[in-house]
Amino acid sequence: MNAVNPRRWQALIVLAAAQFMVIMDTSIIGVALPDMQRDLGFSPGDLQWVFNAYVIAFGGLLLLGGRLSDLLGARRVFTAGWIVLIAGSVVAAAAGNAWVEILGRGVQGVGGALIAPASMTLLMMLFGHDPRELGKAMALYGAAAPAGGTAGVFLGGVITEYLSWPWVFIVYVPIGLATLAAVPALLPSVQGRRGSVDVLGAASVTAGIALAVYAIVRAPEQGWGSAATLLELAGALALLALFLVVQRTVREPLMPLGIWRTPGLATANLAMALLGAAWIPMWYFLNLYLQQVLGYGAFASGAALLPMTVAIMIFMIGVTARLLGRFGAKPLIVIGLLVLAAGVAGLSLVRPDGAFVSDVLPASLIAAIGMSLAYIPAMMSAMSGVRPEESGLASGIVNTTYQVGSALGLAVMTAIATSQGAAEPGDLPGLTDGFQGAFIGAGVVAAVGAVLTLLLMRRPKPAATGTDAGREAARA
């Protein structure tokens, strides 16, 4: 039995900080987007790649990051991930045009894909000796995610307003260097094991996702039925099919396909994909509405989004876990997606001359409650039926599904917004019409997710959700 690490709680601070920063990287850029669009020459359709480049790299390479943690050792991969994240932050901060910015964001996503699974492996090593300590550690580590999302929205506004948008990336450099300095003293050295890396699988799934998003983004300009769009979508499907073939044939695949026989895994991942496809476009276009239509500055926009993100943190930590232990996952996922659909439908009523208190605040809080009710139950439903040795793989799959759903959903809603008139930053009626279309689309996605969950998801046996261990995991 391994000796208990006396500095494990200090190490947990480092791991929670890493989780905080990785999640903050998806939210801190939101308020800065209009300034980046103006300075770097992004078109309205291409602006989403500042978000999608990170999400595609992060989600597409999470499974590879977990595999590398097994083979090379989690501490080495954690360290390498921070080095990559710092490098990507420097590139993104120094970008002088749109394509360099997208490159920097993609490199940041690669770093995040290495950090996240390595952090979970290290946490399990540090606290796996005691289930009670592990539950506490998981709760603190899990709380770092909504905290990072909340802080990112507000800090992005403060930094953009009083410094400039490159500083939303520069802030990662000193934090990353401080983390790297703490690694040797606090994190345990982990020996890797012999095995192979499924490079072809990782490359094919990431390229397939990226090409699918690219095709959807360009479809309004090229035409949905044009030869270029159809070829791009066919290429994406071919790459994803290649990934499945590779997973069936290689000795050590990134994603053994047998895991999909686990009861509830497929439907839980479907719910997570549609949750991401509804939530992220809503958050993205709400931020643009605040700045480009209501005329909010960066700081005011970040402050306006803060009630929504604080509500998510409070509900996830204080309410959803208790409801999950009492009612189980399926009812909460269905209700959460329906509440999210209602909130997004409320946002579809925004006006060119609207006001935050009447047009934004009530609907955004309703949407936040829906997100809070659905996210943790969907995550736990995906994890509940797998064998202990497959829990890391299941976690990687469901996180990847959420990120991929977010990227594809944002691409589709951007295409809808552009087709409805959101093309010229100064055209307030046109922008509002486009944003309304995107909100309606996101609401439909959430409602479809609720219906599919209701029809397809089977309730687990009571023991699966009523144990103390399950409740501790739900809190995490």
Side-chain angles (χ1 to χ4, degrees), residues 90-413:
V90 171
V91 173
N97 59 65
W99 292 109
V100 175
E101 182 63 41
I102 292 171
L103 173 64
R105 288 289 289 164
V107 174
Q108 282 189 307
V110 174
L114 296 175
I115 292 169
S119 297
M120 182 60 69
T121 299
L122 290 165
L123 186 147
M124 296 298 294
M125 290 190 61
L126 288 164
F127 296 96
H129 65 281
D130 184 344
R132 293 179 66 86
E133 280 199 1
L134 179 61
K136 293 177 182 178
M138 286 290 291
L140 293 171
Y141 181 82
T150 300
V153 171
F154 186 69
L155 287 177
V158 173
I159 291 170
T160 305
E161 182 79 15
Y162 296 108
L163 294 172
S164 60
W165 66 260
W167 284 91
V168 302
F169 304 114
I170 295 173
V171 70
Y172 284 87
V173 176
I175 295 173
L177 293 176
T179 301
L180 290 175
V183 165
L186 295 179
L187 299 185
S189 179
V190 184
Q191 293 298 320
R193 61 182 179 82
R194 298 185 63 181
S196 59
V197 178
D198 182 12
V199 176
L200 180 58
S204 58
V205 68
T206 306
I209 295 168
L211 186 56
V213 173
Y214 180 76
I216 295 170
V217 170
R218 286 172 54 84
E221 177 184 346
Q222 297 181 148
W224 286 96
S226 67
T229 299
L230 295 177
L231 285 174
E232 288 161 359
L233 290 174
L237 291 175
L239 287 167
L240 295 175
L242 174 62
F243 170 72
L244 296 178
V245 171
V246 171
Q247 301 314 288
R248 291 183 62 90
T249 56
V250 300
R251 177 179 295 182
E252 297 183 81
L254 282 179
M255 186 182 68
L257 299 182
I259 194 173
W260 290 101
R261 291 193 290 268
T262 302
L265 181 66
T267 51
N269 274 273
L270 177 61
M272 284 295 285
L274 294 175
L275 178 62
W279 173 258
I280 293 300
M282 184 221 73
W283 168 83
Y284 177 88
F285 285 105
L286 179 56
N287 178 63
L288 293 182
Y289 172 75
L290 289 169
Q291 295 197 48
Q292 295 184 350
V293 177
L294 297 189
Y296 281 30
F299 176 79
S301 180
L305 294 172
L306 196 56
M308 180 174 65
T309 49
V310 170
I312 291 172
M313 189 173 179
I314 292 173
F315 267 80
M316 278 191 177
I317 296 175
V319 177
T320 303
R322 295 183 181 183
L323 295 177
L324 180 60
R326 183 172 181 180
F327 298 106
K330 180 177 177 178
L332 291 185
I333 298 172
V334 173
I335 293 172
L337 285 168
L338 288 176
V339 173
L340 174 59
V344 180
L347 289 174
S348 70
L349 302 177
V350 293
R351 300 164 296 163
D353 58 347
F356 170 73
V357 173
S358 58
D359 291 65
V360 174
L361 182 60
S364 67
L365 290 177
I366 292 171
I369 292 171
M371 170 65 170
S372 304
L373 290 174
Y375 183 84
I376 290 178
M379 179 73 73
M380 292 306 302
S381 183
M383 301 285 293
S384 63
V386 300
R387 299 191 300 269
E389 63 270 21
E390 293 179 329
S391 60
L393 174 61
S395 175
I397 290 173
V398 72
N399 278 289
T400 298
T401 300
Y402 179 80
Q403 301 295 340
V404 171
S406 301
L408 291 174
L410 182 56
V412 172
M413 301 314 155

